Structure formats: C-alpha cells, structure tokens
Amino acid sequence: MADAPWAEIREKFQAALALSRVELHKNPEKEPYKSKYSARALLEEVKALLGPAPEDEDERPQADDSLGAGDHALGLPAELVEAEGPVAQGAVRRAVIEFHLGVNHIDTEELSAGEEHLVKCLRLLRKYRLSHDCVSLYIQAQNNLGILWSEREEIETAQAYLESSEALYNQYMKEIGSPPLDPTEHFLPEEEKLAEQERSKRFEKVYTHNLYYLAQVYQHMEMFERAAHYCHSTLKRQLEHNAYHPMEWAINAATLSQFYINKQCFMEARHCLSAANVIFGQTGKIRTTEDRQHRGA
C-alpha cells in the first residue's frame, strides 16, 4: 500500500475514533447522534480505501455460523494461526473497521446492523483469534454480541458468546501470555505502538468487562452462586486496576453483601459492606482510570 493512501487511512481512522468518543450531550439536542454518524461516514471511507477483503469468499455464511454450532460459540480450544502476510493483515484491518461499525450502529440503537458488522468481524478473524494480533479484538466483538443478545433478552445466546470470550482469554493467557495488540494499533505507525504495560492494562480491562457481563447474565438466569462469584471477581479486579466508578462499585459491593447475608456468610457480607463504605467515601474526590479514559467495549 502506498505511503500517501496509508497515511490518509490512518488519519481518517483516528478522526473516527475521536468522533466516537464525543459524549451524546455535546451534540445538538435535535441531533444526539450527529458525531456517531460522522464517525460512521469516516469508517465507511476507510473501509472503501482498504478495498475488498481478501477473504470475501470465505466471509459468506457457513453452516457453522449459527450460534451453538461453530467452535467460536462453544468455546472449544482455538489453534494458533498468526496473522502474517498481506492477506492476513488486510483481513485483520477490515475486521477492526467492522468492529467499530458494529459498535457505532449499536450506539445509535440500530441493533440488527450492529450485529451484522460484529459477526463479519468474527468471521474475518476466526482462524487468527488466538494470535497476539487478534485475540483482544475477537474477545471485544464477542463481548459486544453478548451485550446485544442480552438486551434482546436472548440470555442463552448472550451466555454462549460471553463464555466463549472467557475461554479464549484463559487459553491465550495459558498458552501465550504476552500482552496482545490493542485493536487500535493496527492503524498506528510502528513508533506509536503501545508499550507492553499499556497493552496489558487494556487487555485486562477487556476481560474484567467480560466477567462483569457474565455476572449479569448468570444473575438473570438465577444462577446466583455463579453470579456472586463473577461479581466478586469483577469488583476485585476493578480495585486492582483502579478502573471503577466509586458510586457504582459501592452499590455492587453492597448488593453482593446481601447475597452473603442470605447464605449466612456473615464475615464475607461484613467485608463487602466495609469495602463499599470506604469506596463510597471516594465519590466526587478521586478520578479513577475509568473516569479518565473512554470505556472499552
């Protein structure tokens, strides 16, 4: 790819990300999604500049694309295939754009279109999903599909996507372990790539979100023991990574304490209430990383 077009692609992509982060209340009252639509237009321009995906023939729906049939849905172990060479890199960059288009459509309440883009992202990445370059993006796409299906009250479908994300994270950490690329890095020059520490922080945040969504799904399914376990894990990780909103964290900890009280686990309940009280005292005083950064998918 020539330097000039690639520079143009990078510039348009970064502009789209910036527009995507504009808070709704900063848009005109009668056009609350104005910045989202502008971001979408730029993403479509980037998609056109990238050209047809090399895997277009492989993108067509296959028999195993329905949830419950494909290995991505069942959470079976993935084989490591690195995203190397121009064909693979082209597919991965297209997948990044499809992901952001999916999130964009969901943000503007166009769920069917959002689902279509996210599923296309997964298809493009499927063979590379365990690789250092793609694992974070694949998990984020599945997390967003899990949220989407949860909002449709198709809880078992949401559960399948979210459990698949959890399984892929665990397999990656066991077999590879090094902090993977953040999806935005596919459109950054080499000298602007993230440091290992920042990559790790972002990847762990993606996994924390995965646990948070799983806790909600299990609660909805009345799997209360499992929901409490995942809620506890989420709260613990949020504290460790300083990525929480004090009010929300305190409410969730207090709610968890009620579960422990009902199970007559009074020491655990007291610990949750004490922690909730301490964190609630930070409200309005401490800015966490969750306040300073745009929330990941």
Side-chain angles (χ1 to χ4, degrees):
M1 187 175 291
D3 289 342
W6 182 231
E8 181 183 357
I9 286 170
R10 290 203 311 260
E11 185 178 334
K12 286 181 182 292
F13 178 74
Q14 295 303 327
L17 290 189
L19 284 166
S20 297
R21 295 182 180 124
V22 173
E23 297 176 18
L24 294 183
H25 69 82
K26 294 182 179 178
N27 286 298
E29 186 175 347
K30 294 183 179 180
E31 298 179 277
Y33 297 135
K34 183 177 180 180
S35 58
K36 299 290 185 186
Y37 294 143
S38 298
R40 183 185 303 178
L42 285 171
L43 290 169
E44 292 288 2
E45 288 181 30
V46 172
K47 184 175 176 179
L49 287 168
L50 288 174
E55 277 87 352
D56 266 350
E57 288 299 308
D58 296 332
E59 279 186 63
R60 291 176 299 185
Q62 304 293 322
D64 69 349
D65 276 337
S66 59
L67 202 65
D71 53 0
H72 67 293
L74 296 174
L76 296 175
E79 293 184 10
L80 176 58
V81 179
E82 295 291 352
E84 297 176 338
V87 172
Q89 288 299 314
V92 173
R93 286 171 182 151
R94 279 289 294 252
V96 174
I97 300 304
E98 295 293 350
F99 170 77
H100 284 286
L101 282 169
V103 172
N104 180 285
H105 281 83
I106 291 170
D107 286 345
T108 58
E109 303 181 61
E110 301 165 78
L111 298 189
S112 293
E115 177 192 358
E116 184 178 334
H117 285 292
L118 290 173
V119 168
K120 183 171 282 191
C121 171
L122 294 184
R123 287 185 190 141
L124 285 164
L125 293 180
R126 181 173 302 164
K127 69 172 72 170
Y128 311 117
R129 66 189 183 278
L130 188 60
S131 71
H132 170 267
D133 288 4
C134 302
V135 65
S136 181
L137 178 57
Y138 199 89
I139 290 174
Q140 290 184 55
Q142 289 199 129
N143 280 352
N144 276 274
L145 282 165
I147 298 167
L148 185 152
W149 284 102
S150 180
E151 290 177 353
R152 289 172 170 169
E153 298 189 357
E154 296 281 350
I155 302 302
E156 290 184 359
T157 304
Q159 177 190 6
Y161 274 117
L162 294 170
E163 288 182 348
S164 176
S165 286
E166 181 187 27
L168 183 59
Y169 170 87
N170 288 330
Q171 184 186 359
Y172 181 85
M173 294 304 291
K174 179 180 179 181
E175 297 181 11
I176 301 172
S178 60
L181 245 61
D182 186 76
T184 59
E185 292 188 81
H186 293 289
F187 290 89
L188 288 177
E190 198 63 37
E191 63 272 15
E192 294 181 23
K193 293 288 179 72
L194 301 177
E196 292 279 288
Q197 185 177 3
E198 180 62 23
R199 285 177 179 172
S200 177
K201 184 171 71 174
R202 293 191 184 193
F203 189 49
E204 292 305 323
K205 185 176 180 180
V206 169
Y207 180 54
T208 300
H209 286 159
N210 174 244
L211 298 180
Y212 175 75
Y213 304 138
L214 276 170
Q216 294 180 324
V217 163
Y218 293 139
Q219 180 73 20
H220 194 95
M221 298 176 76
E222 299 185 0
M223 301 169 68
F224 299 123
E225 292 272 1
R226 185 171 289 187
H229 169 74
Y230 278 80
C231 181
H232 182 272
S233 296
T234 299
L235 293 172
K236 183 172 181 288
R237 289 175 61 85
Q238 287 175 333
L239 280 185
E240 289 172 349
H241 296 285
N242 191 33
Y244 60 92
H245 297 292
M247 177 77 76
E248 180 183 343
W249 195 97
I251 290 172
N252 288 334
T255 302
L256 182 59
S257 74
Q258 293 303 306
F259 169 80
Y260 287 130
I261 288 172
N262 292 336
K263 299 291 290 184
Q264 297 189 349
C265 300
F266 299 116
M267 289 294 290
E268 290 85 349
R270 180 181 177 184
H271 179 73
C272 286
L273 286 172
S274 297
N277 187 52
V278 170
I279 299 301
F280 183 77
Q282 297 177 358
T283 304
K285 299 177 182 178
I286 297 178
R287 295 183 68 207
T288 66
T289 56
E290 196 77 358
D291 296 313
R292 293 192 296 266
Q293 296 177 358
H294 175 65
R295 183 179 176 88

